[in-house]
Amino acid sequence: EADDKYTVFHTVNIVPGHWYHVAGIAQASGEMKLLVNGKEEGQAVDIGGLRQGLDRYFLGAATGDGMGPFEGSIAEVRVWNYAQSEEEVKDNMRKVLSGAERGIVGYWRLNEGPGGLVFDHSNYGNIGLIKGDPKWAASTVPVQQL
């Protein structure tokens, strides 16, 4: 169902003020796993078959089921059309991408600054609408340009 929600829990002790690279990987088998800083964390969960044609995704939003909004900073969001391996995630997690990499279908750098839109740097050009009042700040994520 469209309203189904699944949670993959992590075991990493999160320290406030430190950056973490988090990747959720959904596989065609219906399994979702979580990688934190390039390593698998917690227990993978069965989310069932992937749904085609979803036209919207929400990040950092209150879900209406008792979970509040995300409290933290998000430096960028990437969406791929295949389940990346741990090695692929590790290789690219600290790099600014071009947006033309094989399989990338959404790449929001979230560096636009104040305003209501975020722009997709992939070849798909999906514009994201910001709701609420985010706090924009210069990123301190240690990344390297390709």
Side-chain angles (χ1 to χ4, degrees):
E1 295 299 312
D3 324 357
D4 288 348
K5 295 173 180 68
Y6 302 92
T7 304
V8 181
F9 293 96
H10 64 84
T11 58
V12 171
N13 183 27
I14 302 299
V15 178
H18 287 77
W19 281 102
Y20 296 87
H21 182 274
V22 178
I25 300 174
Q27 300 178 345
S29 65
E31 182 178 83
M32 170 73 85
K33 64 182 179 178
L34 182 71
L35 274 64
V36 177
N37 291 336
K39 295 182 181 178
E40 187 169 354
E41 272 297 319
Q43 290 280 60
V45 297
D46 183 11
I47 61 170
L50 300 178
R51 295 180 210 90
Q52 299 298 314
L54 290 178
D55 65 349
R56 67 190 82 188
Y57 297 91
F58 300 92
L59 297 171
T63 63
D65 61 0
M67 293 181 69
F70 177 76
E71 293 184 29
S73 299
I74 301 173
E76 66 175 27
V77 176
R78 303 172 182 183
V79 177
W80 303 84
N81 66 5
Y82 71 99
Q84 290 198 314
S85 68
E86 282 188 42
E87 197 59 39
E88 287 174 301
V89 171
K90 282 183 200 173
D91 286 348
N92 289 313
M93 69 184 203
R94 300 265 185 231
K95 295 177 184 171
V96 175
L97 305 180
S98 72
E101 289 76 10
R102 176 185 70 84
I104 196 161
V105 295
Y107 181 36
W108 298 269
R109 294 183 186 157
L110 305 179
N111 60 0
E112 288 82 2
L117 302 174
V118 291
F119 298 97
D120 180 3
H121 293 271
S122 79
N123 292 330
Y124 291 85
N126 295 298
I127 295 174
L129 176 64
I130 296 177
K131 296 198 175 207
D133 188 24
K135 293 179 178 78
W136 293 92
S139 176
T140 58
V141 178
V143 295
Q144 48 185 261
Q145 298 287 334
L146 291 179

